[in-house]
Amino acid sequence: MGLNSEILSSFSKVGSIEIKYQSEYNSVNSLLDAFNKNDIDIYFDAYAKRDFDIDTYNTVSAFDEKIVVLARQNSTSVINSLASLKDYKIITLKDSKISEYLKNKDVEVKEYDNIDSLFSHLNKKYLLVIDKVTYDAYKLTNLKDYIITCDFNLEDNYSYMIRDISAN
């Protein structure tokens, strides 16, 4: 769980609250379903989709939303701006704020439901666009053959989404 785990752990200690972690969800839809069904009270919101049946609080961002464009180390791709992405095949996470941002800039993207699926489809045909925190977490393993070719800031910040209930 990385940095989010550290932040929640610190929050738990300061607030004297117990946090129980749920297993990973296979898609944004399954995460939102669990949130709407009151199965979870808080989640890290890096997603464009926000269909809630309940009242919520949105925290301030705990991150620098730096987005990176990754290419294979031996790639001849020249990416010097967001506009130059229009000439390439791009992959990213489905329903993410990154995907929505790229689509709004008329960049065609191929999306995958989760990080494991995304990594299983990496190949030299595609450029990968993810947040820098995710890149840093995987740069020595799944992304060891990739380099940052360009970076930019995301306009819509990440945050934690919290159910608005009296127990919170």
Side-chain angles (χ1 to χ4, degrees):
M1 284 192 275
L3 187 55
N4 282 321
S5 177
E6 294 291 324
I7 291 170
L8 291 175
S9 177
S10 296
F11 175 72
S12 172
K13 289 176 186 171
V14 169
S16 298
I17 59 172
E18 179 184 355
I19 295 179
K20 294 180 186 174
Y21 295 96
Q22 298 288 12
S23 60
E24 291 184 25
Y25 293 91
N26 290 330
S27 69
V28 174
N29 286 336
S30 62
L31 173 68
L32 292 178
D33 286 344
F35 191 67
N36 281 320
K37 291 177 185 174
N38 297 327
D39 292 340
I40 57 174
D41 295 325
I42 184 173
Y43 73 90
F44 181 64
D45 185 25
Y47 311 106
K49 238 178 163 173
R50 293 192 182 124
D51 299 322
F52 301 125
D53 299 330
I54 55 177
D55 291 332
T56 61
Y57 289 116
N58 209 0
T59 67
V60 296
S61 178
F63 298 92
D64 173 18
E65 285 79 11
K66 182 71 70 180
I67 305 306
V68 294
V69 179
L70 305 173
R72 288 255 189 199
Q73 288 179 357
N74 57 357
S75 173
T76 58
S77 302
V78 177
I79 308 297
N80 53 17
S81 70
L82 191 58
S84 62
L85 290 178
K86 294 178 184 179
D87 298 330
Y88 294 93
K89 294 179 180 180
I90 307 298
I91 61 173
T92 194
L93 289 171
K94 185 177 183 178
D95 296 323
S96 67
K97 291 182 181 186
I98 297 169
S99 177
E100 179 182 37
Y101 180 76
L102 293 173
K103 288 182 205 175
N104 287 340
K105 300 291 184 186
D106 296 323
V107 175
E108 188 176 331
V109 297
K110 184 165 179 67
E111 301 172 294
Y112 293 95
D113 284 334
N114 56 55
I115 199 76
D116 292 331
S117 179
L118 182 71
F119 287 160
S120 72
H121 288 90
L122 288 177
N123 65 49
K124 59 185 170 190
K125 293 189 309 187
Y126 297 111
L127 297 177
L128 171 61
V129 181
I130 57 175
D131 57 70
K132 178 115 175 22
V133 172
T134 302
Y135 170 71
D136 287 341
Y138 293 99
K139 69 183 177 185
L140 299 177
T141 56
N142 299 71
L143 299 174
K144 68 181 181 296
D145 297 328
Y146 285 78
I147 58 169
I148 297 174
T149 61
C150 180
D151 64 23
F152 58 93
N153 288 317
L154 190 62
E155 293 174 356
D156 187 10
N157 292 337
Y158 294 162
S159 62
Y160 292 95
M161 188 64 63
I162 304 170
R163 289 181 39 238
D164 182 10
I165 56 174
S166 60
N168 288 343

Coordinates of all heavy atoms in Angstrom, one line a residue, residues 20-105:
K20 N -9.0 -0.8 9.4 CA -8.9 -2.1 8.9 C -8.8 -2.0 7.4 O -9.7 -1.3 6.8 CB -10.2 -2.9 9.2 CG -10.3 -3.2 10.7 CD -11.6 -4.0 11.0 CE -11.8 -4.2 12.5 NZ -13.1 -4.8 12.7
Y21 N -7.8 -2.6 6.8 CA -7.6 -2.5 5.4 C -8.4 -3.6 4.6 O -8.3 -4.8 5.1 CB -6.1 -2.6 5.0 CG -5.3 -1.4 5.6 CD1 -4.7 -1.5 6.8 CD2 -5.3 -0.3 4.9 CE1 -4.0 -0.4 7.3 CE2 -4.6 0.8 5.4 CZ -3.9 0.7 6.6 OH -3.2 1.8 7.1
Q22 N -9.0 -3.3 3.5 CA -9.7 -4.2 2.7 C -8.7 -4.7 1.6 O -7.7 -4.0 1.3 CB -10.9 -3.6 2.0 CG -12.0 -3.2 3.0 CD -12.7 -4.3 3.6 OE1 -12.3 -5.5 3.5 NE2 -13.8 -4.0 4.3
S23 N -9.0 -5.8 1.0 CA -8.2 -6.3 -0.1 C -8.4 -5.4 -1.3 O -9.3 -4.6 -1.3 CB -8.5 -7.7 -0.4 OG -9.9 -7.8 -0.8
E24 N -7.5 -5.5 -2.3 CA -7.6 -4.7 -3.5 C -8.9 -5.0 -4.2 O -9.4 -6.1 -4.2 CB -6.4 -4.9 -4.4 CG -5.1 -4.4 -3.8 CD -4.0 -4.6 -4.8 OE1 -4.2 -4.7 -6.0 OE2 -2.8 -4.7 -4.3
Y25 N -9.4 -4.0 -5.0 CA -10.5 -4.1 -5.8 C -10.1 -4.3 -7.3 O -9.1 -3.6 -7.7 CB -11.5 -3.0 -5.6 CG -12.1 -3.0 -4.2 CD1 -11.5 -2.3 -3.2 CD2 -13.2 -3.7 -4.0 CE1 -12.0 -2.3 -1.9 CE2 -13.8 -3.7 -2.7 CZ -13.2 -3.0 -1.7 OH -13.7 -3.0 -0.4
N26 N -10.8 -5.0 -8.1 CA -10.3 -5.3 -9.4 C -10.6 -4.1 -10.4 O -10.1 -4.1 -11.5 CB -11.0 -6.6 -10.0 CG -10.5 -7.8 -9.3 OD1 -9.3 -7.8 -8.9 ND2 -11.3 -8.8 -9.2
S27 N -11.5 -3.2 -10.0 CA -11.9 -2.1 -10.8 C -12.4 -0.9 -10.0 O -12.7 -1.1 -8.8 CB -13.0 -2.5 -11.8 OG -14.2 -2.7 -11.1
V28 N -12.4 0.2 -10.6 CA -13.0 1.4 -9.9 C -14.5 1.2 -9.6 O -14.9 1.5 -8.5 CB -12.8 2.7 -10.8 CG1 -13.5 3.8 -10.2 CG2 -11.4 2.9 -11.0
N29 N -15.2 0.5 -10.5 CA -16.6 0.3 -10.2 C -16.8 -0.6 -9.0 O -17.7 -0.3 -8.1 CB -17.3 -0.4 -11.4 CG -17.5 0.6 -12.5 OD1 -17.6 1.8 -12.3 ND2 -17.6 0.0 -13.7
S30 N -16.0 -1.6 -8.8 CA -16.1 -2.5 -7.6 C -15.8 -1.7 -6.3 O -16.4 -1.9 -5.3 CB -15.3 -3.8 -7.7 OG -14.0 -3.5 -7.8
L31 N -14.8 -0.8 -6.4 CA -14.4 0.0 -5.2 C -15.6 1.0 -4.9 O -16.0 1.1 -3.7 CB -13.2 0.8 -5.6 CG -12.8 1.9 -4.5 CD1 -12.3 1.3 -3.2 CD2 -11.7 2.8 -5.1
L32 N -16.1 1.6 -5.9 CA -17.3 2.6 -5.7 C -18.5 1.8 -5.1 O -19.2 2.3 -4.3 CB -17.6 3.4 -6.9 CG -16.5 4.4 -7.4 CD1 -16.9 5.1 -8.6 CD2 -16.2 5.4 -6.3
D33 N -18.7 0.6 -5.6 CA -19.8 -0.2 -5.1 C -19.7 -0.5 -3.6 O -20.6 -0.3 -2.9 CB -20.0 -1.5 -5.9 CG -20.5 -1.4 -7.3 OD1 -21.1 -0.3 -7.6 OD2 -20.4 -2.3 -8.1
A34 N -18.5 -0.8 -3.2 CA -18.2 -1.1 -1.8 C -18.4 0.2 -1.0 O -18.9 0.1 0.1 CB -16.8 -1.7 -1.7
F35 N -17.9 1.3 -1.5 CA -18.1 2.6 -0.8 C -19.6 2.9 -0.6 O -20.0 3.3 0.4 CB -17.3 3.6 -1.6 CG -17.2 5.0 -0.9 CD1 -16.4 5.1 0.3 CD2 -17.8 6.1 -1.3 CE1 -16.2 6.3 0.9 CE2 -17.7 7.3 -0.7 CZ -16.9 7.4 0.5
N36 N -20.3 2.8 -1.7 CA -21.8 3.1 -1.7 C -22.6 2.1 -0.8 O -23.6 2.5 -0.2 CB -22.4 3.1 -3.1 CG -22.0 4.4 -3.8 OD1 -22.1 5.5 -3.2 ND2 -21.7 4.3 -5.1
K37 N -22.1 0.9 -0.6 CA -22.8 -0.1 0.2 C -22.3 0.0 1.6 O -22.7 -0.9 2.4 CB -22.5 -1.5 -0.3 CG -23.1 -1.8 -1.7 CD -22.7 -3.2 -2.1 CE -23.3 -3.5 -3.5 NZ -22.8 -4.8 -4.0
N38 N -21.5 0.9 2.0 CA -21.0 1.1 3.4 C -20.0 0.0 3.8 O -19.8 -0.2 5.0 CB -22.1 1.2 4.4 CG -22.9 2.5 4.1 OD1 -22.5 3.5 3.7 ND2 -24.2 2.4 4.4
D39 N -19.4 -0.7 2.8 CA -18.4 -1.7 3.1 C -17.1 -1.1 3.5 O -16.3 -1.7 4.2 CB -18.2 -2.7 1.9 CG -19.5 -3.5 1.7 OD1 -20.3 -3.7 2.6 OD2 -19.6 -4.0 0.5
I40 N -16.8 0.1 3.0 CA -15.6 0.8 3.3 C -16.0 2.3 3.6 O -17.0 2.8 3.1 CB -14.5 0.8 2.2 CG1 -15.1 1.3 0.9 CG2 -14.0 -0.6 2.0 CD1 -14.1 1.4 -0.2
D41 N -15.2 2.9 4.5 CA -15.5 4.3 4.9 C -14.6 5.3 4.2 O -14.9 6.5 4.2 CB -15.3 4.4 6.4 CG -16.3 3.6 7.2 OD1 -17.4 3.5 6.8 OD2 -15.9 3.1 8.3
I42 N -13.5 4.9 3.7 CA -12.5 5.8 3.1 C -11.7 5.1 2.0 O -11.5 3.9 2.1 CB -11.5 6.4 4.2 CG1 -10.5 7.4 3.7 CG2 -10.8 5.2 4.9 CD1 -9.7 8.1 4.7
Y43 N -11.4 5.9 1.0 CA -10.5 5.4 0.0 C -9.7 6.5 -0.7 O -10.1 7.7 -0.6 CB -11.3 4.6 -1.1 CG -12.1 5.4 -2.1 CD1 -11.5 5.9 -3.3 CD2 -13.4 5.7 -1.8 CE1 -12.3 6.7 -4.1 CE2 -14.2 6.5 -2.7 CZ -13.6 6.9 -3.8 OH -14.3 7.7 -4.7
F44 N -8.6 6.1 -1.3 CA -7.8 7.1 -2.0 C -8.4 7.4 -3.3 O -8.5 6.5 -4.1 CB -6.3 6.6 -2.1 CG -5.4 7.5 -2.8 CD1 -5.1 8.8 -2.2 CD2 -4.8 7.3 -4.0 CE1 -4.3 9.7 -2.8 CE2 -4.0 8.2 -4.6 CZ -3.7 9.4 -4.0
D45 N -8.7 8.7 -3.6 CA -9.5 9.0 -4.8 C -8.5 9.6 -5.8 O -8.2 10.7 -5.9 CB -10.5 10.1 -4.4 CG -11.4 10.4 -5.6 OD1 -11.5 9.6 -6.5 OD2 -11.9 11.6 -5.6
A46 N -8.2 8.7 -6.7 CA -7.4 9.0 -7.9 C -8.2 8.8 -9.2 O -7.7 8.6 -10.3 CB -6.1 8.2 -8.0
Y47 N -9.5 8.8 -9.0 CA -10.4 8.3 -10.1 C -11.3 9.5 -10.6 O -11.7 10.3 -9.9 CB -11.3 7.2 -9.6 CG -10.4 6.1 -8.9 CD1 -10.4 6.0 -7.6 CD2 -9.6 5.3 -9.7 CE1 -9.6 5.0 -6.9 CE2 -8.8 4.4 -9.1 CZ -8.8 4.2 -7.7 OH -8.0 3.3 -7.1
A48 N -11.6 9.4 -11.9 CA -12.5 10.3 -12.5 C -14.0 10.1 -12.2 O -14.8 11.0 -12.1 CB -12.3 10.4 -14.0
K49 N -14.3 8.8 -12.0 CA -15.7 8.4 -11.8 C -16.1 8.6 -10.3 O -15.3 8.3 -9.4 CB -15.8 6.9 -12.0 CG -16.7 6.5 -13.0 CD -16.7 5.0 -13.3 CE -18.0 4.7 -14.0 NZ -18.0 3.3 -14.4
R50 N -17.2 9.3 -10.1 CA -17.6 9.6 -8.8 C -19.2 9.5 -8.7 O -19.8 10.5 -8.6 CB -17.2 10.9 -8.3 CG -15.7 11.1 -8.2 CD -15.4 12.4 -7.5 NE -14.0 12.5 -7.4 CZ -13.3 13.5 -7.9 NH1 -13.9 14.5 -8.5 NH2 -12.0 13.6 -7.8
D51 N -19.7 8.3 -8.7 CA -21.1 8.1 -8.5 C -21.4 7.6 -7.1 O -21.2 6.5 -6.8 CB -21.6 7.0 -9.5 CG -21.4 7.4 -10.9 OD1 -21.5 8.6 -11.3 OD2 -21.0 6.5 -11.8
F52 N -21.8 8.6 -6.2 CA -22.1 8.3 -4.8 C -23.5 8.3 -4.5 O -24.3 9.2 -5.0 CB -21.3 9.2 -3.9 CG -19.8 9.3 -4.1 CD1 -19.2 10.5 -4.4 CD2 -19.1 8.1 -4.1 CE1 -17.8 10.5 -4.6 CE2 -17.7 8.2 -4.3 CZ -17.1 9.4 -4.5
D53 N -23.9 7.3 -3.7 CA -25.3 7.3 -3.2 C -25.4 7.9 -1.7 O -26.4 7.8 -1.1 CB -25.8 5.9 -3.1 CG -25.9 5.2 -4.5 OD1 -26.1 6.0 -5.5 OD2 -25.7 4.0 -4.7
I54 N -24.2 8.4 -1.3 CA -24.1 8.9 0.1 C -23.4 10.2 0.1 O -22.8 10.6 -0.9 CB -23.3 7.9 1.0 CG1 -22.0 7.6 0.3 CG2 -24.1 6.6 1.2 CD1 -21.1 6.6 1.1
D55 N -23.5 10.9 1.3 CA -22.8 12.2 1.4 C -21.3 11.8 1.7 O -21.0 10.9 2.4 CB -23.4 13.0 2.6 CG -24.8 13.5 2.2 OD1 -25.0 13.7 1.0 OD2 -25.5 13.7 3.2
T56 N -20.4 12.7 1.2 CA -19.0 12.4 1.4 C -18.2 13.7 1.8 O -18.7 14.8 1.6 CB -18.4 11.9 0.1 OG1 -18.6 12.9 -1.0 CG2 -19.0 10.6 -0.4
Y57 N -17.0 13.5 2.3 CA -16.0 14.5 2.5 C -14.9 14.2 1.6 O -14.5 13.1 1.4 CB -15.5 14.6 3.9 CG -16.5 15.1 5.0 CD1 -17.0 14.2 6.0 CD2 -17.0 16.4 5.0 CE1 -17.9 14.7 6.9 CE2 -17.8 16.8 5.9 CZ -18.3 16.0 6.9 OH -19.2 16.4 7.8
N58 N -14.2 15.3 1.1 CA -13.1 15.1 0.3 C -11.9 15.9 0.9 O -12.0 17.0 1.2 CB -13.4 15.7 -1.1 CG -12.6 15.1 -2.2 OD1 -11.8 14.2 -2.0 ND2 -12.8 15.6 -3.4
T59 N -10.8 15.2 1.3 CA -9.7 15.8 2.0 C -8.9 16.7 1.0 O -9.0 16.5 -0.2 CB -8.8 14.8 2.6 OG1 -8.1 14.0 1.6 CG2 -9.6 13.9 3.6
V60 N -8.0 17.5 1.5 CA -7.0 18.1 0.7 C -6.0 17.1 0.2 O -5.8 16.0 0.8 CB -6.3 19.3 1.4 CG1 -7.3 20.4 1.8 CG2 -5.6 18.8 2.6
S61 N -5.3 17.4 -0.9 CA -4.3 16.5 -1.4 C -3.1 16.3 -0.5 O -2.6 17.3 0.1 CB -3.9 17.0 -2.8 OG -2.9 16.2 -3.3
A62 N -2.7 15.1 -0.4 CA -1.5 14.8 0.4 C -0.3 14.6 -0.6 O 0.8 14.2 -0.1 CB -1.7 13.6 1.2
F63 N -0.5 14.8 -1.9 CA 0.6 14.5 -2.9 C 0.8 15.7 -3.8 O 0.0 16.6 -4.0 CB 0.1 13.3 -3.7 CG -0.1 12.1 -2.9 CD1 -1.4 11.8 -2.4 CD2 0.9 11.2 -2.7 CE1 -1.6 10.6 -1.7 CE2 0.7 10.0 -2.0 CZ -0.5 9.7 -1.5
D64 N 1.9 15.6 -4.5 CA 2.2 16.4 -5.6 C 1.8 15.6 -6.8 O 2.3 14.5 -7.1 CB 3.7 16.7 -5.7 CG 4.1 17.4 -7.0 OD1 3.2 18.0 -7.7 OD2 5.3 17.4 -7.3
E65 N 0.7 16.0 -7.5 CA 0.2 15.2 -8.6 C 1.0 15.4 -9.9 O 0.5 15.9 -10.9 CB -1.3 15.6 -8.8 CG -2.3 15.1 -7.8 CD -2.3 15.9 -6.5 OE1 -1.7 17.0 -6.5 OE2 -2.9 15.4 -5.6
K66 N 2.2 14.9 -9.8 CA 3.1 14.9 -11.0 C 2.8 13.7 -11.8 O 2.8 12.6 -11.3 CB 4.6 14.9 -10.5 CG 5.6 15.0 -11.6 CD 5.7 16.3 -12.3 CE 6.2 17.3 -11.4 NZ 6.3 18.6 -12.1
I67 N 2.6 13.9 -13.1 CA 2.3 12.8 -14.0 C 3.5 12.6 -14.9 O 4.1 13.5 -15.4 CB 1.0 13.1 -14.8 CG1 -0.2 13.5 -13.9 CG2 0.6 12.0 -15.8 CD1 -0.5 12.4 -12.9
V68 N 3.8 11.3 -15.1 CA 5.0 11.0 -16.0 C 4.6 10.2 -17.2 O 3.6 9.4 -17.2 CB 6.1 10.3 -15.2 CG1 6.7 11.2 -14.1 CG2 5.6 9.0 -14.6
V69 N 5.2 10.5 -18.3 CA 5.1 9.7 -19.5 C 6.3 8.8 -19.6 O 7.5 9.3 -19.6 CB 5.0 10.7 -20.7 CG1 4.9 9.9 -22.0 CG2 3.9 11.6 -20.6
L70 N 6.1 7.5 -19.8 CA 7.2 6.6 -19.8 C 7.3 5.9 -21.1 O 6.3 5.5 -21.7 CB 6.9 5.5 -18.7 CG 6.7 6.0 -17.3 CD1 6.3 4.8 -16.3 CD2 8.0 6.7 -16.8
A71 N 8.5 5.7 -21.5 CA 8.8 4.9 -22.8 C 9.9 3.9 -22.4 O 10.6 4.1 -21.5 CB 9.2 5.9 -23.9
R72 N 10.0 2.9 -23.3 CA 11.1 1.9 -23.1 C 12.4 2.7 -23.2 O 12.5 3.7 -23.9 CB 11.0 0.9 -24.2 CG 9.9 -0.1 -24.1 CD 10.5 -1.4 -23.6 NE 9.4 -2.4 -23.6 CZ 9.5 -3.5 -23.0 NH1 10.6 -3.7 -22.2 NH2 8.6 -4.4 -23.0
Q73 N 13.4 2.2 -22.5 CA 14.7 2.8 -22.5 C 15.3 3.0 -23.9 O 16.0 4.0 -24.1 CB 15.7 2.0 -21.6 CG 15.4 2.1 -20.2 CD 16.4 1.3 -19.3 OE1 17.2 0.6 -19.8 NE2 16.2 1.4 -18.0
N74 N 15.1 2.1 -24.8 CA 15.7 2.2 -26.1 C 14.7 2.9 -27.1 O 14.9 2.9 -28.3 CB 16.1 0.9 -26.7 CG 15.0 -0.1 -26.7 OD1 13.8 0.2 -26.2 ND2 15.2 -1.3 -27.1
S75 N 13.7 3.5 -26.7 CA 12.7 4.1 -27.5 C 13.2 5.4 -28.2 O 14.0 6.1 -27.7 CB 11.5 4.5 -26.7 OG 10.5 5.3 -27.4
T76 N 12.7 5.6 -29.4 CA 13.1 6.8 -30.2 C 12.0 7.9 -30.1 O 12.0 8.9 -30.8 CB 13.3 6.5 -31.7 OG1 12.2 5.9 -32.2 CG2 14.5 5.5 -31.8
S77 N 11.0 7.7 -29.2 CA 9.9 8.6 -29.0 C 10.4 9.9 -28.5 O 11.3 10.0 -27.7 CB 8.9 8.1 -28.0 OG 8.4 6.8 -28.4
V78 N 9.9 11.0 -29.1 CA 10.2 12.4 -28.7 C 8.9 13.0 -28.1 O 8.0 13.3 -28.8 CB 10.7 13.2 -29.8 CG1 11.0 14.6 -29.4 CG2 12.0 12.6 -30.4
I79 N 8.9 13.1 -26.8 CA 7.8 13.7 -26.1 C 8.3 14.9 -25.4 O 9.0 14.8 -24.4 CB 7.2 12.7 -25.1 CG1 6.9 11.4 -25.7 CG2 5.9 13.3 -24.4 CD1 5.8 11.4 -26.8
N80 N 7.9 16.1 -25.8 CA 8.3 17.3 -25.2 C 7.1 18.2 -24.7 O 7.3 19.3 -24.2 CB 9.2 18.1 -26.1 CG 8.6 18.4 -27.5 OD1 7.4 18.2 -27.6 ND2 9.4 18.7 -28.4
S81 N 5.9 17.7 -24.9 CA 4.7 18.4 -24.4 C 3.6 17.4 -24.4 O 3.6 16.3 -25.0 CB 4.4 19.5 -25.4 OG 3.9 19.1 -26.6
L82 N 2.5 17.8 -23.7 CA 1.3 17.1 -23.7 C 0.7 16.9 -25.1 O 0.2 15.8 -25.4 CB 0.3 17.7 -22.7 CG -0.9 17.0 -22.3 CD1 -0.5 15.7 -21.7 CD2 -1.8 17.8 -21.4
A83 N 0.8 17.9 -25.9 CA 0.2 17.9 -27.2 C 0.9 16.8 -28.1 O 0.3 16.2 -28.9 CB 0.4 19.2 -27.9
S84 N 2.2 16.6 -27.8 CA 3.0 15.6 -28.6 C 2.5 14.1 -28.4 O 2.8 13.2 -29.1 CB 4.5 15.7 -28.4 OG 4.8 15.5 -27.1
L85 N 1.7 13.9 -27.3 CA 1.2 12.6 -27.0 C 0.2 12.1 -28.0 O -0.1 11.0 -28.2 CB 0.5 12.6 -25.6 CG 1.5 12.6 -24.4 CD1 0.7 12.7 -23.1 CD2 2.5 11.5 -24.4
K86 N -0.4 13.1 -28.8 CA -1.5 12.8 -29.7 C -0.9 11.9 -30.9 O -1.7 11.2 -31.6 CB -2.1 14.0 -30.3 CG -2.9 14.8 -29.3 CD -3.4 16.1 -29.9 CE -4.1 16.9 -28.8 NZ -4.6 18.2 -29.3
D87 N 0.4 11.9 -31.0 CA 1.0 11.1 -32.1 C 1.4 9.7 -31.7 O 2.0 8.9 -32.5 CB 2.3 11.8 -32.6 CG 2.0 13.2 -33.2 OD1 0.9 13.4 -33.7 OD2 2.9 14.1 -33.0
Y88 N 1.1 9.3 -30.5 CA 1.5 8.0 -29.9 C 0.3 7.2 -29.4 O -0.7 7.7 -29.1 CB 2.5 8.2 -28.8 CG 3.8 8.8 -29.3 CD1 4.0 10.2 -29.3 CD2 4.8 8.0 -29.8 CE1 5.2 10.7 -29.8 CE2 6.0 8.5 -30.3 CZ 6.2 9.9 -30.3 OH 7.3 10.4 -30.7
K89 N 0.6 5.9 -29.2 CA -0.4 5.0 -28.5 C -0.1 5.1 -27.0 O 1.0 4.9 -26.6 CB -0.3 3.6 -29.0 CG -0.7 3.4 -30.5 CD -0.5 2.0 -30.9 CE -0.9 1.8 -32.4 NZ -0.7 0.5 -32.8
I90 N -1.1 5.5 -26.3 CA -1.0 5.7 -24.8 C -1.8 4.7 -24.1 O -2.9 4.4 -24.4 CB -1.5 7.1 -24.5 CG1 -0.8 8.2 -25.3 CG2 -1.3 7.4 -23.0 CD1 0.7 8.3 -25.2
I91 N -1.2 4.1 -23.0 CA -2.0 3.3 -22.1 C -1.9 3.9 -20.7 O -0.9 4.5 -20.3 CB -1.5 1.8 -22.0 CG1 0.0 1.7 -21.6 CG2 -1.7 1.2 -23.4 CD1 0.4 0.3 -21.4
T92 N -3.0 3.7 -19.9 CA -3.1 4.2 -18.6 C -4.2 3.5 -17.8 O -4.9 2.6 -18.4 CB -3.4 5.8 -18.6 OG1 -3.1 6.3 -17.3 CG2 -4.8 6.1 -19.0
L93 N -4.5 3.8 -16.6 CA -5.5 3.2 -15.8 C -6.9 3.6 -16.2 O -7.1 4.9 -16.3 CB -5.2 3.3 -14.3 CG -4.0 2.6 -13.8 CD1 -3.7 3.0 -12.4 CD2 -4.3 1.1 -13.9
K94 N -7.8 2.7 -16.3 CA -9.2 3.0 -16.6 C -9.9 3.9 -15.5 O -9.7 3.6 -14.3 CB -10.0 1.7 -16.8 CG -11.4 1.9 -17.2 CD -12.1 0.5 -17.5 CE -13.5 0.7 -18.0 NZ -14.1 -0.6 -18.2
D95 N -10.7 4.8 -15.9 CA -11.5 5.7 -15.0 C -10.6 6.5 -14.1 O -11.1 7.1 -13.1 CB -12.5 4.9 -14.2 CG -13.5 4.2 -15.1 OD1 -13.9 4.8 -16.1 OD2 -13.9 3.1 -14.7
S96 N -9.3 6.7 -14.4 CA -8.4 7.5 -13.6 C -8.5 8.9 -13.9 O -9.0 9.3 -15.0 CB -7.0 7.0 -13.7 OG -6.5 7.3 -15.0
K97 N -8.1 9.8 -13.0 CA -8.1 11.2 -13.3 C -7.1 11.5 -14.5 O -7.3 12.4 -15.3 CB -7.7 12.0 -12.1 CG -8.8 12.0 -11.0 CD -8.4 12.8 -9.8 CE -9.6 12.8 -8.8 NZ -9.3 13.7 -7.6
I98 N -6.1 10.7 -14.6 CA -5.1 10.8 -15.6 C -5.8 10.6 -17.0 O -5.6 11.3 -17.9 CB -3.9 9.9 -15.4 CG1 -3.1 10.3 -14.2 CG2 -3.0 9.9 -16.7 CD1 -2.1 9.3 -13.7
S99 N -6.5 9.5 -17.1 CA -7.2 9.1 -18.3 C -8.2 10.2 -18.7 O -8.2 10.6 -19.9 CB -7.9 7.8 -18.1 OG -8.6 7.4 -19.2
E100 N -9.0 10.6 -17.8 CA -9.9 11.7 -18.1 C -9.2 13.0 -18.6 O -9.6 13.6 -19.6 CB -10.8 12.0 -16.8 CG -11.8 13.1 -17.1 CD -12.6 13.5 -15.8 OE1 -12.0 13.5 -14.7 OE2 -13.7 13.8 -16.0
Y101 N -8.1 13.3 -17.9 CA -7.4 14.5 -18.3 C -6.8 14.4 -19.7 O -7.0 15.3 -20.5 CB -6.2 14.7 -17.3 CG -5.3 15.9 -17.6 CD1 -5.8 17.2 -17.3 CD2 -4.1 15.8 -18.2 CE1 -5.0 18.3 -17.6 CE2 -3.3 16.9 -18.5 CZ -3.7 18.1 -18.2 OH -3.0 19.2 -18.4
L102 N -6.3 13.2 -20.1 CA -5.7 13.0 -21.4 C -6.8 13.1 -22.5 O -6.7 13.7 -23.5 CB -5.0 11.7 -21.5 CG -3.7 11.6 -20.7 CD1 -3.1 10.2 -20.7 CD2 -2.7 12.6 -21.2
K103 N -7.9 12.4 -22.2 CA -9.1 12.4 -23.1 C -9.6 13.8 -23.3 O -9.9 14.2 -24.5 CB -10.2 11.5 -22.6 CG -9.9 10.1 -22.7 CD -11.1 9.3 -22.2 CE -10.8 7.9 -21.7 NZ -11.9 7.3 -21.1
N104 N -9.6 14.6 -22.3 CA -10.1 16.0 -22.4 C -9.1 16.8 -23.3 O -9.5 17.9 -23.8 CB -10.3 16.7 -21.0 CG -11.5 16.2 -20.3 OD1 -12.4 15.6 -20.9 ND2 -11.5 16.3 -19.0
K105 N -7.9 16.4 -23.4 CA -6.9 17.1 -24.2 C -6.8 16.4 -25.6 O -5.8 16.6 -26.3 CB -5.5 17.0 -23.5 CG -5.4 17.7 -22.2 CD -5.6 19.2 -22.3 CE -5.4 19.8 -21.0 NZ -5.7 21.2 -21.0

